[in-house]
Amino acid sequence: MSLAPGCRLHSVPMPDQTLAPCGSWRSPITAELITSSAVGLSSLRVVGSDLYWLEARPSEAGRVVLVHRHASGVIQDITPAPFNVRSRVHEYGGGAYQVDESGLVFVDFTDQRVYYAGHGQSPTPITPAQSLRFADFAFDRVRARLYAVREDHRPSGEAQNTIVSIPLDSPLDKNSGDSEGKVLVQGADFYAYPRISPDGSRLAWICWHHPAMPWDATELWVAKLDGDRVADLQQVAGGPEESTSEPQWSASGDLMYLSDRSGYTNLYRWDGDQHTAESNRKNDFGGPLWSLGAQSYAQLPDGRWICSYVEAGEHRLGVFDAGTETRFETELSQLGGVLPLVGISGENDRLAVLGAGPLHGPRVLLMDLSAGGVEVVRESVSSSIDPGYISVAESIEFPTEGERTAHAFFYPPTNSDFRAPDGELPPLLVLSHGGPTGATGSAMSFAVQFWTSRGFGVVDVNYGGSTGYGREYRNRLKGNWGLVDVADSVHAVQALAAGGRIDAQRACIRGGSAGGYTTLAALTFRDLFKAGASHYGIGDLAALARDTHKFESRYLDGLIGPWPEARQVYEERSPIHHTDQLASPVIFFQGSEDNVVPKNQAESMVAALKEKGIPVGYVLFEAEGHGFRRAENIKRALESELYFYGKVLGFEPADDIEPVEILGLE
């Protein structure tokens, strides 16, 4: 929908609502609830009618646990403490486990070794304790091998990425170094998706080269498997202007994959000779390859393909057959995995789905395509919240610079117990998603509801460069990071203010990682925002180009320009060099062990603001990396940010919050 000027927050006020200034409303959606009852759900897998998934548990210091749901309905943890199922390949990981009828493998975060276990057996390491990282696995039971992406950090300089095979059937101390992985494919800078054909004769994978990111340009390759080596390597698709992803083999031996060659990412089939489009939508299938192992489509037992794609920023579910689509309507707006159950006769239309909707967070679901029934297997948040406290996202589009249109989701303040005094418009919190090649969605998030239930409006901006709107929209950010994203954030505020939805004089902005850079750039280079919060954000682009890890080491070539040739542009767009233009209070949240955005980024900005006398807060979390996983730290960050806005905007939060030091605040 487009913005409708003159919309009011509460056209019919509820008589028993308490009048209170926005920001001061008491809410049942507390930081304690979010951290104590929430788990992160990811990496859904299906073996027959058994389900597997990963749970990130803040209450266990962020430990990630592999969970199994038997066909009988019994749910149990597979990996006991202290195992923590996380890979560090590309730093962002993903693809940290694989499972089939005979057993499973997973990576433990602490040592990055691969562990193998037959079903019902204890895990045993099958790779050595060295500076090696593994992810994105495929079993080859005929050869008793495991295919994986390996990232080797032993050489000096840049880590080396390859595809390797690892033996499954010989003791670790007797396989003559083969446990490190026998290199099958090498030469590219990055690899992903090693996938073996149903008959075991061929291996497919994708790769890419500096300075491209995987959403810019990848190559899809196929090779014959000849014993313990590959032969007859053939590039099937991809190239300098085409991104391919998610290869998988059909039951008949055709190779399926995603490609954006049409301008939108669609599903294609390669039969060994011809390429055929299985879908032809002006929508994007899949998403940016930040984490390994994502799967957005799967083959049903009858040969059709069940796929998720993005339409107007929200995920849809469709069944595709030779170019025709049958839309499957659901209440879900965000999908993180769609897999058919194939273990029981008559289950052709049953799916396991990891998804979320406007009124609930992520869930593992069993869905019936024919009958429409839904069974909730697992919820990310166990506590139930009355819908009267839930703000439902409104999909909006608005004009921005260059006579273009940008997209966002707006959440009006919502609390059945409170309303603002007559004449008071709510403060606005602008969210800048990370990436920046990424996207936000409309699924219910308690991290958003924390603010809306206290009286804030929230706008989550899919600025130019975001995914899900086609390659042209994604390319808007090429060479323009710090310009397009900032402009779109500003225009979102202006559009909402023009529609009478928010108070532009009390607009704040927050973001993490790349979103933290957009936040700091908007606060520095635009005179609009009253305050902001940077969560492990970037203040010095040149420092990021020099210090970051391999996966992102050339990312800024496309977003800013090649380093160091474009040094002047880096300095022009780095907030750290322009603190004289920054006049708004900022609070910084940072992990001490962050290897993606090191803590010196935040500390340099804090020192500059302190010297200038601008109110600044700084909260450093020891032993945290890029993103906070410990419950106590997530809680502290949320409450500290609310406390900070209260001091800056002049309201008193209803929550009992431990004060945070704000330097320079009178």
Side-chain angles (χ1 to χ4, degrees), residues 8-36:
R8 298 189 59 81
L9 296 174
H10 299 286
S11 57
V12 183
M14 298 171 63
D16 55 348
Q17 286 180 308
T18 300
L19 290 175
C22 294
S24 67
W25 301 353
R26 184 171 297 279
S27 168
I29 304 173
T30 63
E32 181 69 30
L33 178 144
I34 293 172
T35 56
S36 65

mmCIF file of all heavy atoms in Angstrom, residues 8-36:
data_model
loop_
_atom_site.group_PDB
_atom_site.id
_atom_site.type_symbol
_atom_site.label_atom_id
_atom_site.label_comp_id
_atom_site.label_asym_id
_atom_site.label_seq_id
_atom_site.Cartn_x
_atom_site.Cartn_y
_atom_site.Cartn_z
ATOM 1 N N ARG A 8 -4.954 8.427 11.255
ATOM 2 C CA ARG A 8 -4.810 8.679 12.676
ATOM 3 C C ARG A 8 -4.417 7.387 13.379
ATOM 4 O O ARG A 8 -4.669 6.288 12.906
ATOM 5 C CB ARG A 8 -6.113 9.231 13.255
ATOM 6 C CG ARG A 8 -6.528 10.569 12.649
ATOM 7 C CD ARG A 8 -7.704 11.162 13.407
ATOM 8 N NE ARG A 8 -7.418 11.378 14.807
ATOM 9 C CZ ARG A 8 -6.760 12.429 15.281
ATOM 10 N NH1 ARG A 8 -6.304 13.351 14.456
ATOM 11 N NH2 ARG A 8 -6.549 12.565 16.570
ATOM 12 N N LEU A 9 -3.789 7.556 14.527
ATOM 13 C CA LEU A 9 -3.301 6.396 15.264
ATOM 14 C C LEU A 9 -4.442 5.598 15.864
ATOM 15 O O LEU A 9 -4.454 4.383 15.836
ATOM 16 C CB LEU A 9 -2.350 6.857 16.372
ATOM 17 C CG LEU A 9 -1.071 7.537 15.881
ATOM 18 C CD1 LEU A 9 -0.283 8.075 17.065
ATOM 19 C CD2 LEU A 9 -0.231 6.558 15.099
ATOM 20 N N HIS A 10 -5.408 6.283 16.481
ATOM 21 C CA HIS A 10 -6.550 5.615 17.114
ATOM 22 C C HIS A 10 -7.814 6.372 16.719
ATOM 23 O O HIS A 10 -8.174 7.371 17.328
ATOM 24 C CB HIS A 10 -6.406 5.609 18.643
ATOM 25 C CG HIS A 10 -5.201 4.874 19.129
ATOM 26 N ND1 HIS A 10 -5.108 3.506 19.128
ATOM 27 C CD2 HIS A 10 -4.019 5.331 19.620
ATOM 28 C CE1 HIS A 10 -3.931 3.138 19.621
ATOM 29 N NE2 HIS A 10 -3.264 4.226 19.916
ATOM 30 N N SER A 11 -8.473 5.924 15.681
ATOM 31 C CA SER A 11 -9.669 6.632 15.236
ATOM 32 C C SER A 11 -10.792 6.506 16.255
ATOM 33 O O SER A 11 -11.610 7.403 16.390
ATOM 34 C CB SER A 11 -10.114 6.074 13.878
ATOM 35 O OG SER A 11 -10.334 4.678 13.956
ATOM 36 N N VAL A 12 -10.842 5.394 17.004
ATOM 37 C CA VAL A 12 -11.851 5.207 18.038
ATOM 38 C C VAL A 12 -11.130 4.810 19.326
ATOM 39 O O VAL A 12 -10.872 3.625 19.574
ATOM 40 C CB VAL A 12 -12.876 4.110 17.653
ATOM 41 C CG1 VAL A 12 -13.956 4.001 18.725
ATOM 42 C CG2 VAL A 12 -13.505 4.416 16.294
ATOM 43 N N PRO A 13 -10.719 5.779 20.160
ATOM 44 C CA PRO A 13 -9.990 5.454 21.376
ATOM 45 C C PRO A 13 -10.794 4.527 22.278
ATOM 46 O O PRO A 13 -12.014 4.660 22.421
ATOM 47 C CB PRO A 13 -9.771 6.816 22.039
ATOM 48 C CG PRO A 13 -9.912 7.813 20.935
ATOM 49 C CD PRO A 13 -10.923 7.227 20.002
ATOM 50 N N MET A 14 -10.129 3.592 22.901
ATOM 51 C CA MET A 14 -10.774 2.684 23.837
ATOM 52 C C MET A 14 -10.966 3.411 25.164
ATOM 53 O O MET A 14 -10.043 4.049 25.680
ATOM 54 C CB MET A 14 -9.925 1.425 24.014
ATOM 55 C CG MET A 14 -9.745 0.643 22.715
ATOM 56 S SD MET A 14 -8.546 -0.700 22.851
ATOM 57 C CE MET A 14 -9.356 -1.734 24.078
ATOM 58 N N PRO A 15 -12.170 3.359 25.747
ATOM 59 C CA PRO A 15 -12.474 4.183 26.930
ATOM 60 C C PRO A 15 -11.622 3.856 28.144
ATOM 61 O O PRO A 15 -11.424 4.713 29.008
ATOM 62 C CB PRO A 15 -13.955 3.884 27.190
ATOM 63 C CG PRO A 15 -14.211 2.577 26.510
ATOM 64 C CD PRO A 15 -13.316 2.552 25.318
ATOM 65 N N ASP A 16 -11.121 2.628 28.259
ATOM 66 C CA ASP A 16 -10.363 2.264 29.445
ATOM 67 C C ASP A 16 -8.862 2.421 29.255
ATOM 68 O O ASP A 16 -8.073 1.987 30.098
ATOM 69 C CB ASP A 16 -10.670 0.829 29.868
ATOM 70 C CG ASP A 16 -10.427 -0.172 28.741
ATOM 71 O OD1 ASP A 16 -10.252 0.283 27.596
ATOM 72 O OD2 ASP A 16 -10.419 -1.385 29.009
ATOM 73 N N GLN A 17 -8.445 3.044 28.145
ATOM 74 C CA GLN A 17 -7.021 3.263 27.934
ATOM 75 C C GLN A 17 -6.527 4.439 28.773
ATOM 76 O O GLN A 17 -7.206 5.445 28.930
ATOM 77 C CB GLN A 17 -6.721 3.527 26.463
ATOM 78 C CG GLN A 17 -6.799 2.284 25.584
ATOM 79 C CD GLN A 17 -6.481 2.606 24.144
ATOM 80 O OE1 GLN A 17 -7.057 3.515 23.560
ATOM 81 N NE2 GLN A 17 -5.557 1.856 23.564
ATOM 82 N N THR A 18 -5.320 4.305 29.274
ATOM 83 C CA THR A 18 -4.697 5.356 30.065
ATOM 84 C C THR A 18 -3.965 6.332 29.152
ATOM 85 O O THR A 18 -3.255 5.916 28.236
ATOM 86 C CB THR A 18 -3.691 4.743 31.058
ATOM 87 O OG1 THR A 18 -4.385 3.842 31.922
ATOM 88 C CG2 THR A 18 -3.005 5.822 31.883
ATOM 89 N N LEU A 19 -4.157 7.615 29.406
ATOM 90 C CA LEU A 19 -3.419 8.626 28.654
ATOM 91 C C LEU A 19 -2.009 8.722 29.222
ATOM 92 O O LEU A 19 -1.828 8.907 30.429
ATOM 93 C CB LEU A 19 -4.112 9.988 28.754
ATOM 94 C CG LEU A 19 -5.452 10.153 28.024
ATOM 95 C CD1 LEU A 19 -6.050 11.520 28.332
ATOM 96 C CD2 LEU A 19 -5.253 10.003 26.535
ATOM 97 N N ALA A 20 -1.015 8.611 28.362
ATOM 98 C CA ALA A 20 0.375 8.706 28.813
ATOM 99 C C ALA A 20 1.248 9.083 27.629
ATOM 100 O O ALA A 20 0.966 8.689 26.489
ATOM 101 C CB ALA A 20 0.845 7.389 29.420
ATOM 102 N N PRO A 21 2.308 9.851 27.858
ATOM 103 C CA PRO A 21 3.194 10.238 26.753
ATOM 104 C C PRO A 21 3.792 9.018 26.064
ATOM 105 O O PRO A 21 4.087 7.997 26.698
ATOM 106 C CB PRO A 21 4.285 11.062 27.448
ATOM 107 C CG PRO A 21 3.673 11.520 28.731
ATOM 108 C CD PRO A 21 2.731 10.433 29.141
ATOM 109 N N CYS A 22 3.947 9.124 24.772
ATOM 110 C CA CYS A 22 4.578 8.041 24.022
ATOM 111 C C CYS A 22 5.978 7.782 24.563
ATOM 112 O O CYS A 22 6.714 8.719 24.878
ATOM 113 C CB CYS A 22 4.653 8.403 22.536
ATOM 114 S SG CYS A 22 3.053 8.529 21.716
ATOM 115 N N GLY A 23 6.327 6.536 24.638
ATOM 116 C CA GLY A 23 7.613 6.132 25.189
ATOM 117 C C GLY A 23 7.518 5.687 26.626
ATOM 118 O O GLY A 23 8.362 4.919 27.096
ATOM 119 N N SER A 24 6.481 6.159 27.330
ATOM 120 C CA SER A 24 6.341 5.845 28.756
ATOM 121 C C SER A 24 5.325 4.741 29.022
ATOM 122 O O SER A 24 5.048 4.431 30.177
ATOM 123 C CB SER A 24 5.937 7.108 29.524
ATOM 124 O OG SER A 24 4.621 7.519 29.160
ATOM 125 N N TRP A 25 4.765 4.149 27.961
ATOM 126 C CA TRP A 25 3.748 3.127 28.160
ATOM 127 C C TRP A 25 4.364 1.854 28.749
ATOM 128 O O TRP A 25 5.465 1.434 28.362
ATOM 129 C CB TRP A 25 3.077 2.773 26.831
ATOM 130 C CG TRP A 25 2.413 3.936 26.137
ATOM 131 C CD1 TRP A 25 2.231 5.203 26.619
ATOM 132 C CD2 TRP A 25 1.869 3.929 24.818
ATOM 133 N NE1 TRP A 25 1.601 5.987 25.688
ATOM 134 C CE2 TRP A 25 1.361 5.225 24.568
ATOM 135 C CE3 TRP A 25 1.752 2.965 23.829
ATOM 136 C CZ2 TRP A 25 0.753 5.572 23.371
ATOM 137 C CZ3 TRP A 25 1.150 3.301 22.630
ATOM 138 C CH2 TRP A 25 0.647 4.589 22.407
ATOM 139 N N ARG A 26 3.644 1.257 29.657
ATOM 140 C CA ARG A 26 4.090 -0.015 30.222
ATOM 141 C C ARG A 26 3.676 -1.149 29.284
ATOM 142 O O ARG A 26 2.557 -1.171 28.779
ATOM 143 C CB ARG A 26 3.494 -0.232 31.614
ATOM 144 C CG ARG A 26 3.999 -1.511 32.294
ATOM 145 C CD ARG A 26 3.548 -1.568 33.747
ATOM 146 N NE ARG A 26 4.108 -0.473 34.519
ATOM 147 C CZ ARG A 26 5.333 -0.460 35.030
ATOM 148 N NH1 ARG A 26 6.139 -1.509 34.815
ATOM 149 N NH2 ARG A 26 5.765 0.570 35.721
ATOM 150 N N SER A 27 4.586 -2.084 29.064
ATOM 151 C CA SER A 27 4.334 -3.150 28.098
ATOM 152 C C SER A 27 4.688 -4.510 28.681
ATOM 153 O O SER A 27 5.680 -4.645 29.408
ATOM 154 C CB SER A 27 5.157 -2.911 26.825
ATOM 155 O OG SER A 27 5.137 -4.051 25.993
ATOM 156 N N PRO A 28 3.907 -5.530 28.344
ATOM 157 C CA PRO A 28 4.272 -6.892 28.749
ATOM 158 C C PRO A 28 5.421 -7.465 27.925
ATOM 159 O O PRO A 28 5.971 -8.502 28.263
ATOM 160 C CB PRO A 28 2.982 -7.680 28.517
ATOM 161 C CG PRO A 28 2.305 -6.967 27.394
ATOM 162 C CD PRO A 28 2.618 -5.509 27.608
ATOM 163 N N ILE A 29 5.769 -6.784 26.826
ATOM 164 C CA ILE A 29 6.863 -7.255 25.972
ATOM 165 C C ILE A 29 8.156 -6.643 26.511
ATOM 166 O O ILE A 29 8.608 -5.585 26.077
ATOM 167 C CB ILE A 29 6.624 -6.875 24.500
ATOM 168 C CG1 ILE A 29 5.272 -7.414 24.036
ATOM 169 C CG2 ILE A 29 7.738 -7.429 23.614
ATOM 170 C CD1 ILE A 29 4.860 -6.946 22.664
ATOM 171 N N THR A 30 8.713 -7.291 27.489
ATOM 172 C CA THR A 30 9.894 -6.801 28.170
ATOM 173 C C THR A 30 11.156 -7.425 27.579
ATOM 174 O O THR A 30 11.112 -8.450 26.900
ATOM 175 C CB THR A 30 9.823 -7.135 29.662
ATOM 176 O OG1 THR A 30 9.814 -8.563 29.813
ATOM 177 C CG2 THR A 30 8.564 -6.552 30.292
ATOM 178 N N ALA A 31 12.280 -6.794 27.880
ATOM 179 C CA ALA A 31 13.563 -7.367 27.466
ATOM 180 C C ALA A 31 13.764 -8.722 28.120
ATOM 181 O O ALA A 31 14.347 -9.636 27.517
ATOM 182 C CB ALA A 31 14.699 -6.422 27.832
ATOM 183 N N GLU A 32 13.289 -8.873 29.332
ATOM 184 C CA GLU A 32 13.400 -10.159 30.023
ATOM 185 C C GLU A 32 12.619 -11.241 29.298
ATOM 186 O O GLU A 32 13.098 -12.365 29.116
ATOM 187 C CB GLU A 32 12.884 -10.018 31.460
ATOM 188 C CG GLU A 32 12.967 -11.285 32.295
ATOM 189 C CD GLU A 32 14.404 -11.657 32.623
ATOM 190 O OE1 GLU A 32 15.241 -10.749 32.725
ATOM 191 O OE2 GLU A 32 14.670 -12.864 32.762
ATOM 192 N N LEU A 33 11.407 -10.911 28.845
ATOM 193 C CA LEU A 33 10.603 -11.891 28.101
ATOM 194 C C LEU A 33 11.294 -12.285 26.807
ATOM 195 O O LEU A 33 11.360 -13.466 26.453
ATOM 196 C CB LEU A 33 9.225 -11.310 27.802
ATOM 197 C CG LEU A 33 8.264 -12.198 26.990
ATOM 198 C CD1 LEU A 33 6.833 -12.016 27.460
ATOM 199 C CD2 LEU A 33 8.350 -11.880 25.488
ATOM 200 N N ILE A 34 11.823 -11.297 26.100
ATOM 201 C CA ILE A 34 12.447 -11.565 24.807
ATOM 202 C C ILE A 34 13.623 -12.509 24.963
ATOM 203 O O ILE A 34 13.826 -13.434 24.161
ATOM 204 C CB ILE A 34 12.888 -10.246 24.148
ATOM 205 C CG1 ILE A 34 11.655 -9.405 23.784
ATOM 206 C CG2 ILE A 34 13.735 -10.505 22.910
ATOM 207 C CD1 ILE A 34 11.981 -8.010 23.310
ATOM 208 N N THR A 35 14.413 -12.310 26.009
ATOM 209 C CA THR A 35 15.628 -13.109 26.157
ATOM 210 C C THR A 35 15.395 -14.426 26.880
ATOM 211 O O THR A 35 16.077 -15.414 26.609
ATOM 212 C CB THR A 35 16.699 -12.312 26.912
ATOM 213 O OG1 THR A 35 16.172 -11.871 28.170
ATOM 214 C CG2 THR A 35 17.134 -11.113 26.103
ATOM 215 N N SER A 36 14.435 -14.468 27.796
ATOM 216 C CA SER A 36 14.251 -15.684 28.591
ATOM 217 C C SER A 36 13.411 -16.725 27.882
ATOM 218 O O SER A 36 13.577 -17.930 28.115
ATOM 219 C CB SER A 36 13.605 -15.337 29.935
ATOM 220 O OG SER A 36 12.288 -14.830 29.743
#
